[in-house]
């Protein structure tokens, strides 16, 4: 029942060293998942906390020719409001705008969001359709894995205890691409995803050349829907079989029944939300009409 | 003559609230403060086979641990004495208190709690109210026949309160009908959810205890402490700091005695502060889950001839104040319609769930939601417009209510007309939008109350009242009534309130009653002061008191403002002799005459005094693919008699409407094996500011002869009653499918659209 | 015995140093160590917003924020709002009738203040979304929204006049 040990390192190297020295330690950024989970006695805090808020090196939001580079402490508010993200990686800003309240968005970070590994996290599906990768650092060195490899189940990741997520790299999409994220919302704000879907379409001369769909809150992790690209590639944008893609998604969803919805309703809503996300992405595609 | 009534007025307790200076109960601290927590059963039904506090007691810093052995063996309860402070041998819901701990820190109190050893033998939980009424059902209270009851309570096995209404001959009424409609509606449990959780601080001085509590009803809370701890009321002082909302959840006697007993045992002041989970699980005042059966006969021209109704209220483990909800709900089954033949019954059923009771307009929203959907279904069956059917049946002057009370002039029809006009009834809307109407009525509650008014030496005034301010502003507005009586300004008065050692008895902030009862008391007290002032002035001005009037801070000869003396001058003079001091109380107005022949178990809500009427119209958009409903606009017309404090009354309507929209769409507790599954605000979803619709508020100012005082009627509760019903009818119109389960969640709307019974 | 750590922060313009365990929330330190009880505790999942304060100008749910992470930073609570443009908001809440029980009011004012700092002339819809993290059970939000819009107008007045002159 004792309170945790607490460290607030000034450098990333020091943070990584502390994490390796204290196997029970967890990094903490905004605490909007970690601390909230311990409130009301639901969970214990970890035995040691390595606070990241002083690490200026982890605050960069870099828009580069090849990719968007989001350091771990970039907040949901920054992602929601960044013009380049809104313009090019739109599903990410769609998702970040939906997170909690202004206070939550100002505090919650992308690193914390991803490492909490909730199947309902908003950024998960957008990052999946955009093929993002994460950089992990430990005293052993750095490695990079795809976000699709990061999550193993609710609250579980493929990282080792001493590893710190330092950066998320989101490749610049092909020209002609557009993305969108939508979720089923009971309220207009302060919601948690019951069903969410991200879609990415690349449209060239009125014809779809590439497509991806990912799902939120209907499986143990956010998941990419397999076979969407094969199904939609080469389809004319104005007559693409989005309904078939939605069916594909519903078939791959593994929804559960809980206090928020039944599995049956969730599965039916996957169809609705996926089709809407695809349509929204298409509406945003610059080259959606045949020349 | 100028009046302060009906003017815009800034509440005097507001400054402390916007600056953070106002100290609520959980903000209070005193030297030596110890911290309390409760050990709950955490299971719906079980027998305690072992209860050992020794390990917990031995922890350094633990000051007191109490169980049923440490308090007098008293059974209490407003209507049925079915309850003890601590579980004795059996626990009957998950939030039942088994033990209480006081320690030097909150953390230590929780650690000690975890060291209390309790062993249970599980008992089969009784979780369905309908099943509990079956003859062979096991009993929640096997000893129910031994419990003392208030006169008039009619109870049965597993039924803590049975009521009937019998008017006319219902069989004859159905025989006259061309059309008969029978339906069943069901509602889930919902909660009061004040943003301030319960908090209590108790401190003893000698044999007397002062309890700072978040109660809405300080005097009943005092009685509860005195009864359960067996001490005179004079040694119990309840002081309520600014109250962070109540909505009924802080009515009745709750936890004051537990904390007082802890403080006595600890020899220290003790504070208890609830978490949000406790607020859901342990605060035993939730809105009743109900089964509502309605059967109606009507002639083809829309005239309603008969109604049969049966209400089954799932009242949880203890009766508490739940019989209000049952009897009021029973009065609502006719809606505000003239129905000559009625047979209705209500059962207040024990189950192993959270006890239900008074939540803002107890019994109202559920029954109105069912009755007004039923009205729309009847209209469709008759081929009539829903507005037209209502217009043909709403009560007019001279009509009679369900127990035969005769209605005076009222605004029922005008509310319907003005609300539907404002909302654009009959005008074209977007394809996925629709309007829904709900009408109804509510009571004004005549009960005793008291207040003092005094004028200070400088001519300023002080009101000392027993009334309780829950946030609505009704106590703040008492200054308007005193000012009106004395020709002074509201800001000339200070108000001292919610302290049982200071003010006279009052029921508390319950039953929308503060303005109409404590208001009467304040007026009576001010009238005494007025007479004293006139007497003094008549000497001063050499005029008869009957020729004098009080205007703008002075007493003047009627119509001659130059022959005047200021109230300040008179007050200064009085301070050399007989002080200016008034007291007000007096008998409450009578309940209208009515006929209870054949009725069973009636407890005081068998007729509605000075009833207020309303009509709400909702405009909604339904997403047919998802079932998600957005309420786009609400129009709320209310007949409150004369509105004395429009800012306050608007605030009550707007807040009630949004609360009601929450009940309509999302506020519902899911149960699994006798446990609440969503006792937190992430999954028990209140409307946020982004969800809340814009609200058109319409006051239908009727000159009602039965309103009191100044023709005023009840304001606080009615606005929360019809929104769910109006939203339901709008959903049905937009979705083409009706949802007969409350709340009407997206999944239930979607299921209804897809042809499944929700 | 849990280890204790020093925490130095500026609260409403005053410097404070306290020694606390790492599990303490910012809210508990403000309320129990500093006696600033304006921010309230209304829930345990960052849903109600009654605990909201400004941390370096950004709104944060103090009930779920580790106090030690405020080290070296500036906190503003409702008690400190009157020192700045928050006073206009406070007055608007009073005159518009946006205060009933008052328990949500401190958090509501903090969110409103943060909103107007970001967006000095918000639309009604922006106000509603900006306050979505603050639950109110009394008012139905309508008069609170009106109060924020009213305050925005008042705060804009001097600038408009300067611009015109």
């Amino acid at each position: 029942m004792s309170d945790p040990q607490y460290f607030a390192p000034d450098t990333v190297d020091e943070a990584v060293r502390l994490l390796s020295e204290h196997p029970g330690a967890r990094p903490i950024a905004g605490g909007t998942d970690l601390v909230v989970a311990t409130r009301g006695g639901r969970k214990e805090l970890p035995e040691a906390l390595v606070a990241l808020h002083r690490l200026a090196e982890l605050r960069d939001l870099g828009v580069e020719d090849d990719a968007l580079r989001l350091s771990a402490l970039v907040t949901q508010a920054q992602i929601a409001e960044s013009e380049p993200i809104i313009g090019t990686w739109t599903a990410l800003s769609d998702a970040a705008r939906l997170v909690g309240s202004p206070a939550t968005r100002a505090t919650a970070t992308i690193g914390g969001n991803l490492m909490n590994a909730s199947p309902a996290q908003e950024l998960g599906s957008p990052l999946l359709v955009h093929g993002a990768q994460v950089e992990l650092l430990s005293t052993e060195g750095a490695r990079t894995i795809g976000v699709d490899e990061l999550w193993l189940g609710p609250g579980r990741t493929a990282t080792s205890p001493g590893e710190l997520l330092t950066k998320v790299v989101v490749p610049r999409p092909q020209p002609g691409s557009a993305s969108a994220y939508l979720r089923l919302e009971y309220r207009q704000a302060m919601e948690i995803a019951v069903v969410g879907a991200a879609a990415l379409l690349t449209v060239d001369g009125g014809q779809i050349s590439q497509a991806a769909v990912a799902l939120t809150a209907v499986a143990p992790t956010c998941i990419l829907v397999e076979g969407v690209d094969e199904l939609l590639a080469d389809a004319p944008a104005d007559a693409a079989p989005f309904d078939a893609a939605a069916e594909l998604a519903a078939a791959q969803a593994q929804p559960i029944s809980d206090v928020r919805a039944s599995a049956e309703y969730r599965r039916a809503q996957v169809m609705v939300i996926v089709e809407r996300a695809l349509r929204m992405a298409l509406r945003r595609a610059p080259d959606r009409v045949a020349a | 003559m100028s009046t302060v009534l009906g003017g815009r007025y800034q509440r005097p307790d507001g400054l402390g609230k916007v600056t953070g200076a106002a100290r609520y109960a959980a903000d209070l601290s005193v030297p030596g403060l110890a911290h309390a927590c409760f050990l709950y059963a955490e299971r719906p039904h079980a027998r305690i086979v072992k209860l050992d506090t020794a390990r917990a007691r031995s922890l350094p810093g633990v000051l007191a641990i109490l169980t049923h052995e440490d308090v007098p063996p008293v059974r209490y309860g407003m209507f049925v004495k079915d309850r003890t402070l601590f579980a004795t041998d059996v626990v009957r819901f998950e939030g039942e208190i088994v033990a209480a701990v006081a320690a030097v820190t909150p953390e230590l109190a929780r650690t000690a709690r975890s060291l209390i050893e309790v062993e249970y033998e599980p008992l089969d939980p009784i979780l369905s109210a309908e099943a509990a009424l079956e003859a062979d059902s096991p009993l929640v209270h096997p000893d129910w026949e031994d419990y003392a009851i208030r006169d008039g309570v009619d109870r049965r096995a597993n039924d803590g309160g049975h009521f009937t209404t019998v008017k006319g001959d219902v069989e004859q009424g159905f025989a006259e009908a061309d059309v008969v409609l029978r339906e069943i509606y069901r509602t889930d449990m919902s909660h009061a959810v004040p943003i301030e959780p319960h908090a209590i601080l108790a401190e003893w001085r000698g044999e007397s205890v002062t309890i700072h509590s978040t109660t809405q009803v300080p005097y009943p809370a005092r009685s509860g402490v005195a009864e359960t701890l067996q001490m005179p009321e004079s040694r119990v002082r309840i002081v309520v700091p600014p109250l962070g909302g109540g909505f009924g959840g802080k009515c009745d006697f709750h936890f004051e005695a537990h904390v007082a007993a802890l403080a006595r045992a600890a020899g220290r002041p003790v504070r208890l502060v609830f978490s949000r989970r406790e607020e859901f699980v342990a605060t035993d005042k939730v809105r009743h889950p109900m089964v509502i059966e309605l059967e109606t006969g009507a002639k083809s021209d829309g005239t309603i001839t008969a109604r049969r109704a049966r209400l089954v209220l799932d009242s949880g483990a203890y009766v508490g104040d739940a019989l209000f909800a049952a009897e009021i709900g029973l009065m609502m089954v006719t809606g505000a319609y003239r129905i000559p033949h009625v047979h209705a019954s209500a059962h207040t059923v024990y189950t192993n769930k959270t006890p239900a009771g008074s939540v803002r307009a107890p019994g109202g929203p559920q029954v109105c939601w069912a009755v007004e959907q039923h009205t729309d279904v009847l209209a469709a069956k008759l081929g009539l417009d829903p507005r037209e059917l209502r217009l043909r049946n709403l009560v007019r002057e001279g009509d009679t209510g369900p127990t035969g009370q005769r209605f005076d002039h009222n605004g029922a029809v005008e509310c319907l007309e003005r609300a539907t006009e404002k909302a654009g009834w009959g005008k074209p809307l977007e394809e996925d939008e629709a309007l829904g109407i709900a009408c109804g009525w509510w009571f004004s509650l005549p009960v005793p109350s008291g207040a003092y008014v005094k004028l200070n030496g400088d001519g300023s005034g002080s009101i000392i009242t027993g009334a309780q301010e829950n946030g609505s502003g009704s106590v703040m507005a008492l200054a308007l009534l005193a000012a009106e009586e004395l020709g002074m300004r509201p800001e000339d008065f200070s108000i001292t309130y919610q302290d049982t050692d200071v003010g006279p008895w009052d029921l508390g902030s319950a039953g929308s009653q503060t303005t109409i009862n404590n208001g009467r008391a304040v007026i009576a007290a001010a009238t005494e002061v007025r007479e004293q002032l006139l007497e003094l002035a008549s000497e001063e001005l050499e005029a008869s008191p009957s020729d004098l009037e009080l205007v703008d801070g002075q007493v003047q000869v009627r119509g001659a403002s130059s022959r005047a003396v200021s109230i300040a001058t008179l007050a200064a003079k009085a301070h050399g002799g007989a002080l200016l001091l008034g007291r007000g109380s007096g008998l409450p107005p009578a309940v209208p005459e009515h006929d209870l022949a054949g009725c069973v178990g009636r407890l005081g809500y068998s007729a509605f005094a000075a009833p207020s009427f309303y009509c709400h119209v909702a405009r909604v958009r339904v997403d047919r693919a998802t079932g998600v409903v957005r309420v786009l606009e609400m129009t709320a017309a209310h007949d409150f008699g004369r509105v004395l404090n429009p800012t306050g009354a608007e605030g009550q309507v707007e807040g009630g409407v949004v609360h009601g929209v929450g009940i309509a769409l999302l506020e519902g507790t899911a149960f699994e094996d006798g446990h609440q599954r969503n006792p937190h605000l992430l999954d028990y979803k209140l409307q946020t500011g982004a969800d809340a619709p814009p609200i058109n508020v319409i006051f239908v100012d009727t000159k009602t002869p039965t309103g009191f005082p100044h023709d005023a009627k009840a304001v606080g509760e009615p606005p929360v009653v019809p929104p769910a019903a109006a939203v339901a009818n709008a959903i049905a119109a937009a979705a083409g499918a009706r949802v007969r389960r409350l709340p009407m969640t997206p999944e239930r709307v979607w299921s209804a659209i897809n042809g499944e019974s929700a | 015995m849990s280890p204790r750590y020093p925490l130095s922060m500026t609260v409403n313009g005053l410097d404070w140093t306290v020694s606390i365990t790492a599990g303490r929330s910012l809210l508990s330190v403000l309320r129990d160590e500093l006696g600033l009880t304006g921010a309230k505790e209304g829930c345990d999942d960052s849903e109600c917003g009654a605990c909201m304060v400004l941390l370096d100008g950004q709104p944060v749910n103090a009930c779920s924020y580790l106090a030690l992470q405020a080290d070296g930073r500036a906190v503003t609570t409702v008690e400190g709002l009157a020192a700045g443009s928050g006073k206009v908001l406070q007055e608007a809440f009073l005159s518009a009738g946006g205060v009933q029980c008052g328990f949500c009011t401190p958090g509501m004012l903090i969110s409103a203040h943060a909103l107007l700092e970001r967006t000095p002339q918000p639309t009604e819809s922006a106000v509603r979304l900006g306050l979505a993290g603050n639950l109110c059970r009394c008012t139905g939000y309508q008069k609170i929204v009106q109060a924020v819009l009213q305050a925005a107008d008042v705060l804009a007045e001097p600038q408009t006049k300067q611009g015109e002159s």
Side-chain angles (χ1 to χ4, degrees):
Chain A
M1 297 284 288
S2 70
D3 280 278
Q5 281 188 285
Y6 176 83
F7 306 97
D10 289 310
T11 67
V12 173
D13 287 346
E14 195 188 344
V16 169
R17 181 180 57 75
L18 285 163
L19 288 170
S20 79
E21 286 171 2
H22 299 272
R26 277 196 65 178
I28 178 166
T32 54
D33 285 318
L34 183 73
V35 179
V36 172
T38 67
R39 300 262 303 135
R42 290 188 289 256
K43 256 178 155 176
E44 294 280 309
L45 279 168
E47 55 193 79
L49 291 166
V50 177
L52 306 181
H53 62 281
R54 295 156 69 103
L55 304 179
E57 349 164 26
L58 293 188
R59 296 199 176 282
D60 285 346
L61 190 164
V63 182
E64 291 157 33
D65 288 347
D66 62 330
L68 171 70
R69 289 188 167 75
L70 302 168
S71 294
L73 294 182
V74 168
T75 63
Q76 302 278 4
Q78 286 174 280
I79 296 170
E81 288 154 21
S82 154
E83 288 299 335
I85 298 178
I86 293 170
T88 304
W89 294 273
T90 319
L92 265 69
S93 54
D94 286 346
R97 206 175 303 119
L98 295 177
V99 171
S101 66
T104 313
R105 293 195 289 277
T107 312
T109 65
I110 185 169
N113 195 229
L114 266 58
M115 291 304 291
N116 191 51
S118 163
Q121 60 173 310
E122 306 300 350
L123 289 178
S125 290
L127 290 171
L128 282 169
V129 297
H130 277 283
Q133 298 192 306
V134 295
E135 293 181 10
L136 304 169
L137 184 70
S138 72
T139 51
E140 310 289 307
R143 65 176 178 133
T144 299
I145 61 172
V147 283
D148 55 336
E149 301 167 283
L150 178 64
W151 302 303
L152 302 179
R156 291 194 304 123
T157 68
T159 59
S160 345
E163 278 185 315
L164 180 68
L165 187 154
T166 52
K167 196 170 283 183
V168 182
V169 181
V170 197
R172 184 174 287 276
Q174 299 288 320
S177 296
S179 67
Y181 176 74
L182 269 183
R183 70 180 181 192
L184 174 66
E185 288 187 289
Y186 294 173
R187 290 187 294 190
Q188 314 245 44
M190 298 301 286
E191 272 302 354
I192 182 161
V194 176
V195 172
L200 177 108
L201 291 174
T202 309
V203 187
D204 185 4
Q207 187 151 324
I208 294 173
S209 61
Q210 191 191 334
V213 168
L215 304 178
T216 304
V218 288
T221 67
C222 293
I223 56 167
L224 264 176
V225 179
E226 288 171 18
V228 171
D229 192 50
E230 292 82 339
L231 183 72
L232 296 181
D234 302 332
D238 58 359
F242 287 160
D243 50 348
E247 276 177 34
L248 199 61
Q252 289 173 37
Q254 307 152 48
I256 56 165
S257 290
D258 64 13
V259 73
R260 292 171 194 148
S262 71
E264 183 201 4
Y265 179 60
R266 275 200 169 94
R267 194 180 294 280
Q269 292 307 310
V270 168
M271 308 253 295
V272 176
I273 302 299
V274 165
E275 194 167 338
R276 288 180 182 180
L278 282 164
R279 293 202 184 287
M280 183 182 278
L282 181 62
R283 274 201 301 280
R284 288 169 174 172
D287 204 8
R288 64 182 178 275
V289 182
Chain B
M1 196 177 118
S2 71
T3 175
V4 298
L5 302 178
R8 297 282 163 178
Y9 172 64
Q10 200 159 305
R11 55 188 301 158
D13 64 351
L15 188 63
K17 291 177 174 179
V18 296
T19 55
R23 297 261 173 168
Y24 294 72
D27 302 338
L28 301 179
S29 189
V30 291
L33 183 66
H35 301 268
C37 70
F38 292 154
L39 175 68
Y40 300 104
E42 306 293 356
R43 48 190 42 73
H45 200 194
R47 186 176 305 285
I48 299 171
V49 293
K50 179 188 169 192
L51 175 54
D52 185 350
T53 58
R55 275 183 71 208
R57 276 178 211 278
S58 67
L59 197 66
V62 172
L63 301 169
I65 296 187
L66 302 181
T67 69
H68 68 94
E69 291 180 345
D70 304 298
V71 293
V74 174
R75 283 198 180 276
Y76 69 93
M78 184 181 291
F79 294 105
V80 179
K81 294 191 183 295
D82 56 7
R83 186 152 198 197
T84 52
L85 292 177
F86 295 95
T88 48
D89 53 342
V90 171
V91 296
R92 295 186 178 85
F93 75 107
E94 61 173 326
E96 179 127 21
I97 299 169
V98 175
V101 181
V104 292
T105 68
E107 296 75 23
L108 195 63
R110 289 195 288 271
T111 304
R113 173 175 66 186
S114 70
L115 297 176
I116 298 173
E117 295 166 44
V118 197
E119 283 173 23
Y120 295 97
E121 173 195 325
L123 298 171
D124 284 340
I126 296 147
L127 300 174
S128 155
E130 287 163 291
L133 286 178
E134 302 286 332
D136 59 350
S137 170
L139 297 176
V140 176
H141 291 271
D143 299 330
W144 64 276
E145 284 170 290
D146 300 336
Y147 298 161
I149 53 172
R150 187 197 278 195
D151 282 351
V153 173
D154 183 80
R155 65 189 163 153
R156 318 275 164 90
N158 275 347
D159 185 351
H162 173 238
F163 302 82
T164 63
T165 295
V166 178
K167 178 188 182 188
D169 176 351
V170 80
E171 294 302 339
Q172 184 197 324
F174 278 108
E176 292 168 7
D178 300 317
V179 166
V180 174
L181 174 67
R182 185 165 194 283
E183 291 186 295
I184 300 182
Y185 291 87
R186 289 188 162 80
T187 73
D188 288 349
M189 172 185 292
S190 64
H191 296 258
V193 202
I195 307 301
E196 177 197 39
H198 282 69
I200 293 168
L201 190 160
E203 185 170 21
W204 289 79
R205 289 211 179 89
E207 291 300 303
S208 297
V209 64
T210 298
I211 305 170
H212 293 83
S213 171
T214 54
T215 182
Q216 287 174 252
V217 290
Y219 294 89
R222 180 180 68 172
S223 300
V225 174
E227 179 184 9
T228 54
L229 299 184
Q230 298 193 318
M231 52 194 290
E233 291 189 350
S234 58
R235 291 198 184 145
V236 182
R237 178 184 185 186
I238 306 277
V239 181
V240 187
L243 187 68
F247 314 102
K250 294 167 179 167
C251 279
D252 207 355
F253 159 59
H254 274 274
F255 310 108
E256 289 85 1
H258 299 85
V259 183
L262 273 178
R264 184 159 59 187
R268 301 262 288 263
V270 170
R271 188 177 76 191
L272 172 81
V273 181
F274 263 11
S275 69
R276 182 53 60 182
R277 178 178 181 272
E278 286 174 296
E279 200 61 24
F280 276 103
V281 172
T283 303
D284 45 6
K285 286 285 166 286
V286 301
R287 194 180 289 289
H288 281 91
M290 278 197 204
V291 180
I292 301 158
E293 301 175 16
L294 298 169
E295 185 178 8
T296 301
K299 292 187 178 167
S300 51
D301 68 357
T303 306
I304 299 175
T305 58
R307 173 151 301 159
R308 200 178 273 121
R310 179 170 180 264
L311 309 180
V312 177
L313 289 79
D314 181 343
S315 206
Y318 300 99
V319 166
D321 63 5
L323 302 192
F324 290 139
E327 190 175 19
I328 295 164
L330 194 63
M331 289 293 283
M332 305 283 291
V333 301
T334 56
Y337 304 118
R338 83 172 83 78
I339 305 182
H341 304 289
V342 180
H343 187 283
S345 63
H347 302 276
T348 323
V349 184
Y350 283 126
T351 61
N352 292 116
K353 292 202 269 189
T354 321
S358 56
V359 179
R360 190 176 188 177
Q366 306 100 306
V367 176
C368 182
W369 167 81
V371 165
E372 284 298 84
Q373 290 213 76
H374 188 70
T375 305
D376 264 29
V377 176
L378 184 66
K381 208 170 160 104
L382 291 164
L384 287 171
D385 178 77
R387 180 182 180 278
E388 182 58 30
L389 177 66
R390 287 176 173 82
L391 207 50
R392 290 185 191 180
N393 288 284
L394 279 172
V395 295
R396 271 81 166 174
E397 187 173 355
D399 288 335
T400 58
T403 54
Q405 78 174 88
R406 194 162 292 280
F407 289 107
D408 293 307
H409 174 68
N410 68 70
V413 169
E414 198 180 342
C415 283
L416 174 71
E417 289 172 342
R418 289 186 57 189
T420 49
E421 185 192 349
K422 175 77 184 173
W425 184 260
K427 294 195 176 141
L429 293 167
E430 297 291 320
E431 184 261 344
D432 53 355
E433 292 182 15
L435 300 182
I437 307 179
C439 298
W441 68 319
W442 198 254
F443 55 87
S444 305
L445 181 64
V447 288
S449 186
Y452 307 111
V453 172
K454 56 181 184 171
L455 290 195
N456 306 306
D458 62 355
S460 65
S462 297
I463 298 167
I464 299 158
T465 168
Q468 166 65 37
E469 172 63 63
N470 63 9
S472 68
S474 55
V475 171
M476 296 299 98
L478 293 169
L480 296 173
L481 299 173
E484 179 77 3
E485 212 55 37
L486 294 173
M488 294 167 64
R489 299 170 306 167
E491 53 269 33
D492 293 334
F493 290 88
S494 67
I495 310 173
T496 303
Y497 51 107
Q498 55 204 38
D499 180 337
T500 58
D501 266 14
V502 173
W505 191 90
D506 183 86
L507 181 66
S509 64
S512 311
Q513 66 94 24
T514 299
T515 305
I516 56 186
N517 291 305
N518 203 255
R520 280 188 299 111
V522 166
I523 290 169
T527 303
E528 285 194 7
V529 174
R530 176 191 171 91
E531 280 160 14
Q532 294 159 22
L533 281 171
L534 291 175
E535 198 62 42
L536 283 174
S538 97
E539 292 165 22
E540 199 83 10
L541 299 172
E542 296 179 345
S544 157
S546 60
D547 293 333
L548 300 177
E549 61 182 357
L550 284 81
V551 181
D552 295 338
Q554 62 181 21
V555 184
Q556 63 188 39
V557 175
R558 211 173 287 277
S561 60
S562 55
R563 280 187 68 196
V565 55
S566 76
I567 287 174
T569 306
L570 295 172
K573 194 170 177 187
H575 269 65
L579 297 175
L580 295 168
L581 192 58
R583 90 185 169 96
S585 176
L587 288 175
V591 173
E593 280 184 34
H594 56 291
D595 179 10
L596 289 182
C599 298
V600 169
R602 305 305 299 248
L603 293 167
Y605 290 86
S606 48
F608 281 1
S612 72
F613 294 85
Y614 46 78
C615 174
H616 286 198
V617 181
R619 180 161 65 88
V620 309
R621 179 189 300 140
V622 177
D623 180 339
R624 292 191 183 106
T626 61
V628 170
V629 175
R630 302 281 182 234
V631 179
L632 304 175
E633 184 181 55
M634 292 289 294
T635 301
H638 283 266
D639 161 19
F640 290 141
R642 181 177 178 194
V643 172
L644 306 178
N645 173 17
T647 301
E650 286 163 6
Q652 289 306 291
V653 175
E654 292 164 7
V657 164
V658 172
H659 186 161
V661 170
I663 292 171
L665 298 181
L666 288 168
E667 290 192 37
T669 287
F671 267 89
E672 187 169 30
D673 301 331
H675 295 275
Q676 292 188 25
R677 294 172 79 193
N678 53 335
H680 49 83
L681 293 172
L682 176 58
D683 284 311
Y684 184 96
K685 295 177 191 294
L686 303 194
Q687 298 287 291
T688 72
D691 299 289
I695 302 154
N696 303 313
V697 180
I698 298 167
F699 294 137
V700 173
D701 255 358
T702 50
K703 292 289 168 274
T704 168
T706 58
F708 50 100
H710 294 291
D711 298 333
K713 303 197 285 196
V715 170
E717 288 167 302
V720 82
V721 178
V727 169
N729 283 332
I731 290 173
R738 193 163 286 280
V739 186
R740 289 184 175 81
R741 179 129 197 172
L742 195 64
M744 300 170 287
T745 60
E747 183 165 353
R748 287 173 179 169
V749 174
W750 174 82
S751 294
I753 291 169
N754 287 284
E756 294 154 43
S757 62
Chain C
M1 184 74 184
S2 299
R4 299 177 80 86
Y5 301 87
L7 162 64
S8 296
M9 57 182 176
T10 305
V11 182
N12 301 333
L14 287 177
D15 292 336
W16 291 87
T17 299
V18 293
S19 171
I20 57 166
T21 53
R24 292 286 294 278
S25 70
L26 178 57
L27 182 67
S28 80
V29 171
L30 292 171
R31 288 175 57 84
D32 301 338
E33 308 293 329
L34 275 49
L36 293 168
T37 57
K40 308 298 183 198
E41 183 154 6
C43 76
D44 46 25
D45 47 10
S46 293
E47 283 288 318
C48 81
C51 65
M52 223 169 261
V53 301
L54 297 174
L55 182 62
D56 289 338
Q58 295 289 329
V60 64
N61 286 305
C63 77
S64 302
Y65 196 81
L66 287 187
L68 288 172
Q69 289 194 279
D71 188 52
R73 302 166 78 177
V75 175
T76 305
T77 70
V78 67
E79 289 95 337
L81 268 191
S85 56
K87 193 169 196 311
V88 173
L89 269 168
Q90 291 171 327
E91 284 166 356
F93 268 57
L94 286 178
S95 66
V99 179
Q100 286 193 32
C101 86
F103 202 78
C104 78
T105 307
M108 207 57 97
L109 285 163
I110 292 287
S111 276
H113 182 78
L115 170 72
L116 294 185
E117 290 287 309
R118 277 197 312 274
T119 315
Q121 290 286 292
T123 61
E124 176 175 338
S125 151
V127 173
R128 288 180 176 275
L129 282 168
L131 302 181
N134 299 84
L135 294 175
C136 171
R137 191 58 144 177
C138 294
T139 64
Y141 304 100
Q142 188 146 297
K143 293 190 189 302
I144 291 175
V145 173
Q146 286 161 2
V148 176
L149 292 171
Q150 190 178 310
D153 285 347
V154 171
L155 288 166
E157 269 168 24
Q159 289 165 359
T160 313
K161 277 173 192 156
Q162 279 166 14
E164 284 165 359
S165 65

